[in-house]
Amino acid sequence: MAEVTPRITAPYLEQFSHNIVRITGKVRQLRGEQATIDAAGSITVHLTRDSHLQLNHAVELIGKVQQDLSVRVLTATDLGPEGSIDFAAIDAIVDATHRYHEIFYNKGEQ
Amino acid sequence: MSYGGDYSTTSYGAQGGGGGGGFMPGSQPESGGAKRSYGKDTLRPVTIKQLIEAHHPNPDAEHFMIDGGETTQVTFVGQIRNVSMQTTNITYKLDDGTGIIEVKVWIDSTDDGATEKQKQLGEQAYARVWGRLKAFNNKRHVGANIIRPITDFNEVSYHLLEATAVHLHFTRGPPESLQAKGGASGGAANGAAGSFDQGVGGTKVPPSASMAARKVFQAIKESPQTNEGLHMQEIASRLNMDPSEVMKAGEELGSLGLVYTTVDDHTWAILDV
């Protein structure tokens, strides 16, 4: 597994295509091996057999951004009902991650 | 307000029943080997990337440098990627998205709550660590005083934002507005780096200073000058201020220890510590 997994939201997908990233979002739709999560925008994710997503739960995914900007999940961590997670804080971290990337990831290695 | 104090009360207070009892014996190797004074010890919230990149002044040094600040104790969060039981310690691999580092926790056989806590620290779980960064055989690890499971995911967000705030405090100085308000987040960040304030933010005008003093300080700081500093009249003309006002501001800055008089009582230079 990649040592560094920058936290992103939907608007960053293009910038990080073919990279392994970390996304915290809300589970919106489950369709077998595919799901839609909301992380400042809609993201289609391809699940593994052992990723157990639940509707309206918050989830933290580590996955690889594909050519079509969907995300192939490597690991998924259920964070409980989405109401218990402060998504304003999550957005603030994503912002800080890229604004002050010197303490989060090395820019240019993507 | 001492950051270390805050953390020790909350963490030990909350964890006392579970694994807190193991802390005192566990910390003995640390205190035995410590030649440095504890007054200098700081506890800094960091990302794992900062630990991996921290500058080690020399191979024997007990501290590391992060953003130009001496760092001894650190606290961070991470997701457990691997747990490895050794005879004397448990080694966890922690991943916070910015890097991966090994965390070693000494096994305390007298701690009855240890196995219960151990169960919660499985792979994929998030944990918070308090400990000391160490370099051994060119490999870095953290010798942890405490590792505990994170039950509220918002703590991860909180920690990363706090680490960012402290990093910015060190690299850019405290924002004026945060200092003046002393708001919740600003208070924490300022407190965290409080012991470094004099070293890093040496030429900051305290929020209590008057507006005139601020302007005069800025003028002296920004004007080209010899080591004799700047004369009252010149500051007055630069700032369009009344000389008597400049005089008062200069005395105020002098009493705050920010400037000193040079050739006469009306010429000041920045006291750069």
Side-chain angles (χ1 to χ4, degrees):
Chain A
M1 176 156 309
E3 299 242 322
V4 181
T5 48
R7 289 174 170 79
I8 67 159
T9 45
Y12 290 91
L13 282 170
E14 198 163 352
Q15 198 184 323
F16 285 86
S17 72
H18 307 297
N19 284 288
I20 296 179
V21 296
R22 204 175 266 257
I23 301 168
T24 306
K26 304 163 193 160
V27 181
R28 283 288 169 260
Q29 274 185 52
L30 287 172
R31 301 179 302 273
E33 298 210 334
Q34 265 189 39
T36 305
I37 64 158
D38 171 17
S42 205
I43 302 176
T44 303
V45 300
H46 305 278
L47 303 172
T48 59
R49 227 164 275 283
D50 54 354
S51 41
H52 303 290
L53 269 58
Q54 282 189 63
L55 272 184
N56 301 319
H57 269 216
V59 68
E60 187 188 50
L61 305 170
I62 296 176
K64 188 166 185 185
V65 183
Q66 307 293 299
Q67 186 76 42
D68 64 356
L69 304 189
S70 64
V71 174
R72 187 164 298 281
V73 173
L74 299 168
T75 63
T77 310
D78 183 80
L79 305 176
E82 62 178 60
S84 61
I85 300 297
D86 182 348
F87 276 90
I90 302 285
D91 289 344
I93 289 170
V94 171
D95 182 65
T97 296
H98 304 284
R99 199 182 291 267
Y100 311 113
H101 58 87
E102 64 271 20
I103 65 167
F104 292 102
Y105 68 97
N106 291 322
K107 228 174 181 155
E109 283 182 16
Q110 278 68 48
Chain B
M1 148 183 151
S2 130
Y3 191 78
D6 274 351
Y7 260 99
S8 51
T9 20
T10 48
S11 60
Y12 304 168
Q15 289 299 111
F23 173 68
M24 289 313 284
S27 73
Q28 286 310 309
E30 235 91 66
S31 48
K35 282 159 230 97
R36 294 158 38 80
S37 86
Y38 274 102
K40 272 187 147 181
D41 251 7
T42 54
L43 174 64
R44 182 164 168 179
V46 292
T47 64
I48 291 174
K49 182 172 192 282
Q50 286 179 292
L51 293 177
I52 294 168
E53 292 178 356
H55 173 64
H56 203 197
N58 65 69
D60 297 323
E62 293 205 8
H63 67 275
F64 285 78
M65 303 295 284
I66 300 179
D67 297 333
E70 233 178 74
T71 307
T72 50
Q73 307 270 354
V74 293
T75 178
F76 58 97
V77 301
Q79 201 166 12
I80 298 171
R81 288 276 166 252
N82 184 266
V83 183
S84 149
M85 296 288 281
Q86 315 283 331
T87 41
T88 54
N89 72 77
I90 306 173
T91 303
Y92 298 92
K93 267 203 178 115
L94 254 67
D95 170 6
D96 70 350
T98 74
I100 296 177
I101 199 160
E102 281 191 349
V103 175
K104 291 183 192 293
V105 189
W106 295 107
I107 294 171
D108 177 16
S109 50
T110 60
D111 182 4
D112 294 333
T115 42
E116 195 47 49
K117 210 176 80 172
Q118 187 52 44
K119 274 187 204 150
Q120 296 179 54
L121 290 168
E123 285 175 22
Q124 306 307 321
Y126 264 100
R128 181 184 278 273
V129 172
W130 286 266
R132 202 179 269 271
L133 182 59
K134 294 179 174 171
F136 186 69
N137 287 341
N138 283 327
K139 209 175 153 212
R140 287 185 183 182
H141 74 270
V142 170
N145 294 326
I146 296 182
I147 180 167
R148 67 152 171 78
I150 285 179
T151 49
D152 182 345
F153 185 76
N154 292 309
E155 185 174 348
V156 176
S157 310
Y158 164 78
H159 171 80
L160 294 170
L161 292 174
E162 188 186 30
T164 308
V166 172
H167 163 68
L168 292 176
H169 178 104
F170 273 87
T171 50
R172 307 186 181 189
E176 295 275 329
S177 57
L178 277 181
Q179 267 208 333
K181 275 190 295 182
S185 58
N190 289 342
S195 43
F196 280 120
D197 263 355
Q198 273 128 4
V200 177
T203 47
K204 287 280 177 296
V205 184
S208 57
S210 70
M211 209 52 204
R214 266 167 211 284
K215 276 159 77 180
V216 168
F217 182 81
Q218 206 60 27
I220 304 174
K221 205 174 165 188
E222 283 168 11
S223 309
Q225 56 195 268
T226 63
N227 55 7
E228 282 177 13
L230 225 54
H231 188 260
M232 176 180 82
Q233 291 293 351
E234 198 178 337
I235 300 171
S237 69
R238 270 173 191 279
L239 294 172
N240 254 339
M241 271 168 77
D242 193 56
S244 66
E245 240 187 306
V246 176
M247 186 68 209
K248 250 173 50 192
E251 280 169 359
E252 191 187 328
L253 291 169
S255 66
L256 288 168
L258 295 169
V259 300
Y260 62 100
T261 55
T262 57
V263 286
D264 58 37
D265 283 348
H266 308 109
T267 306
W268 299 286
I270 301 280
L271 183 62
D272 220 350
V273 278

